[in-house]
Amino acid sequence: QQQTEAVTAPDDCPVLVLAGPGSGKTRTIAYRVCWLVHNLGYDPHSLCITTYTRKAAGELHDRLRPLLPNHNRLHVGTIHALGLGLLRQTGDRRPLLTEYALKRIVEDTLDEMMPSLSPRVRMATQGIGWRWLWSWVEAARAAGVIADPVTAGLWFHHALAAQGAGVNVVEALRGWLGLCYQRVSGGITLSGCRTYGDMVTDALRLVREGANIGADFQYMLVDELQDASEPQLLLLESLAGNGKRLYGVGDQDQTLYAFRGASPGAVSRFLDRHQDTLIYRLETNYRADRVIVETARELISHSDADSRLQKRIAPHNDAGPGVPVTLKGFDTGEEEADWVCDQVAGLIADGVAPEQVFIVYRTNAQSQPFEQGLMDRGIPYTVSGGLSFWERKPVKDLLAYYRVSNTRGLNV
């Protein structure tokens, strides 16, 4: 019932679908597209569906293929691909700045600017590298800050303070970052290339200036709305008749890309700008058992999210009772991996097949103690979505050097 109401929502005002985890979000978007085409008469070519990753765009195409014979006329892609397509409509063919060239620009700026920092601040910021500086510059560029040291310095002042930096650090770095921002931005301009974020901000600037781009789009559908940065959301709104023909699907409790400027606050600001937005909720989880859903619901209940964005997820009636969730804390990663591998060994001893057990870690760098623990216990495993620790090039190189140095008579 919730999905049906969201699919058949009116098309003459902004629509926000708050989709909890496992609630049929992709299915809802696919059937919304079909509803617009078959029931409201939209030409597929006039519909633009943006997702946050190319993989998600491919999955959506797969969902639409059996539902819509002319699905290839739809525009389905990432927000950056949309921006790039809009820029090319103006004849702008600037290439993407390579990471190597970007690194050179930022490192040259650091080499030039580091001596101007006071010794005390330099000691406090010894970890500064090109990626650190670029993250600040990129955030300022995404916010549309002009490349003027004073204006940029003021922006950095507020940004540093918002991240909890001390007063002395803020005062020492604000002007310095403003000058770095001017130099890096100037270097990018001289390169004749654009950065990844420029695909969105440049397109937004052109649309606001009245450029005749994106006129074919009559309706915008946005997947993972909570992961859109402010410029991305403003671009989508501008293309959707000032937001009137925008259909956003997302969940503020699943924001993943804060490091790229995403913020649940962007959705709240969208609601502030468009107070006629219709809000629908998908609150039934079809993927997890009751214990998992109720645990997630309890954690989510402690968030300080906008009250307009709250929802109450519930398990599907067919979901089983599940196994109680265990929360454990450890002093080291090795202790954690040792305990986890003992649990896996116990499950296998009780008759659970190894392929039914999945160990999730935050980053690939954390896999090694788990792999070692499984190997020590003779438990077969595969690494999904990445390389095994022992298959990574630096590890293989180090082992090869060790083998050569410890093998007598080996002719290399």
Side-chain angles (χ1 to χ4, degrees):
Q1 178 65 27
Q2 290 179 332
Q3 291 183 11
T4 301
E5 290 177 357
V7 166
T8 59
D11 67 330
D12 58 353
C13 63
V15 175
L16 174 62
V17 180
L18 298 174
S23 61
K25 170 177 65 69
T26 305
R27 184 175 187 270
T28 299
I29 295 174
Y31 277 90
R32 174 65 172 180
V33 171
C34 294
W35 175 266
L36 291 170
V37 173
H38 295 312
N39 294 75
L40 300 184
Y42 279 84
D43 184 337
H45 185 63
S46 70
L47 302 179
C48 177
I49 306 103
T50 65
T51 65
Y52 210 79
T53 66
R54 282 177 288 184
K55 180 182 178 182
E59 291 173 352
L60 191 53
H61 256 308
D62 292 340
R63 289 289 187 99
L64 288 165
R65 188 174 290 112
L67 300 174
L68 205 63
N70 50 356
H71 69 93
N72 285 328
R73 285 177 53 77
L74 298 165
H75 176 93
V76 183
T78 66
I79 181 67
H80 292 93
L82 169 64
L84 183 60
L86 294 172
L87 291 172
R88 286 179 173 172
Q89 289 182 26
T90 69
D92 186 342
R93 299 279 175 174
R94 282 180 296 154
L96 186 65
L97 189 66
T98 66
E99 182 171 311
Y100 175 78
L102 176 62
K103 181 181 178 182
R104 285 293 303 273
I105 292 171
V106 180
E107 285 185 336
D108 287 348
T109 299
L110 274 174
D111 290 342
E112 181 183 352
M113 294 297 299
M114 281 300 283
S116 64
L117 279 176
S118 69
R120 180 174 55 80
V121 175
R122 215 179 307 167
M123 284 292 292
T125 55
Q126 275 190 331
I128 285 181
W130 81 271
R131 290 189 185 278
W132 179 89
L133 178 56
W134 172 241
S135 68
W136 282 104
V137 172
E138 186 178 33
R141 287 170 67 87
V145 179
I146 63 173
D148 167 69
V150 176
T151 304
L154 183 61
W155 186 90
F156 285 119
H157 177 101
H158 293 300
L160 286 164
Q163 292 212 356
V167 175
N168 292 335
V169 173
V170 170
E171 289 302 320
L173 286 180
R174 55 174 285 183
W176 183 81
L177 281 171
L179 289 168
C180 289
Y181 180 66
Q182 182 186 47
R183 283 166 169 73
V184 172
S185 295
I188 293 171
T189 301
L190 287 173
S191 74
C193 301
R194 67 164 56 91
T195 67
Y196 197 63
D198 291 341
M199 296 180 188
V200 172
T201 53
D202 286 355
L204 173 60
R205 174 179 52 79
L206 289 172
V207 169
R208 284 179 160 177
E209 290 174 354
N212 186 27
I213 55 176
D216 292 339
F217 299 140
Q218 298 300 310
Y219 200 84
M220 308 291 294
L221 299 97
V222 187
D223 186 17
E224 305 293 4
L225 185 68
Q226 78 282 352
D227 280 324
S229 66
E230 189 73 10
Q232 292 169 0
L233 192 51
L234 290 172
L235 174 62
L236 294 168
E237 288 179 43
S238 299
L239 294 171
N242 194 29
K244 295 299 182 184
R245 299 187 306 276
L246 190 145
Y247 186 91
V249 182
D251 179 7
Q252 78 282 359
D253 298 315
Q254 297 186 62
T255 301
L256 295 176
Y257 291 94
F259 64 93
R260 288 184 180 173
S263 168
V267 180
S268 295
R269 289 190 290 275
F270 173 81
L271 292 178
D272 292 338
R273 290 192 292 269
H274 307 283
Q275 297 187 12
D276 59 337
T277 300
L278 296 179
I279 300 177
Y280 297 84
R281 289 173 171 81
L282 305 183
E283 298 175 309
T284 302
N285 183 290
Y286 297 93
R287 185 183 301 156
D289 62 42
R290 183 172 301 278
V291 170
I292 296 296
V293 172
E294 291 179 351
T295 302
R297 185 171 63 204
E298 174 63 22
L299 290 171
I300 291 170
S301 70
H302 296 283
S303 73
D304 56 355
D306 188 329
S307 61
R308 296 171 296 180
L309 305 177
Q310 291 179 355
K311 62 194 174 304
R312 183 174 177 81
I313 58 174
H316 187 253
N317 291 336
D318 297 332
V323 178
V325 174
T326 300
L327 178 64
K328 296 278 287 185
F330 302 91
D331 292 330
T332 67
E334 287 71 22
E335 290 181 14
E336 176 190 23
D338 204 43
W339 182 86
V340 169
C341 293
D342 281 344
Q343 302 306 303
V344 174
L347 289 170
I348 293 174
D350 291 339
V352 177
E355 57 268 23
Q356 291 183 300
V357 180
F358 199 81
I359 299 174
V360 184
Y361 40 81
R362 182 62 175 162
T363 66
N364 288 333
Q366 294 173 287
S367 73
Q368 190 273 333
F370 293 103
E371 292 189 60
Q372 188 64 56
L374 295 172
M375 291 170 61
D376 291 344
R377 292 163 178 78
I379 300 173
Y381 69 90
T382 58
V383 176
S384 176
L387 288 174
S388 164
F389 176 80
W390 308 105
E391 292 298 319
R392 295 169 195 167
K393 187 177 184 301
V395 177
K396 292 173 71 174
D397 287 347
L398 187 60
L399 291 174
Y401 290 136
Y402 179 79
R403 188 163 54 248
V404 168
S405 65
N406 285 275
T407 304
R408 293 182 178 181
L410 185 63
N411 185 18
V412 179

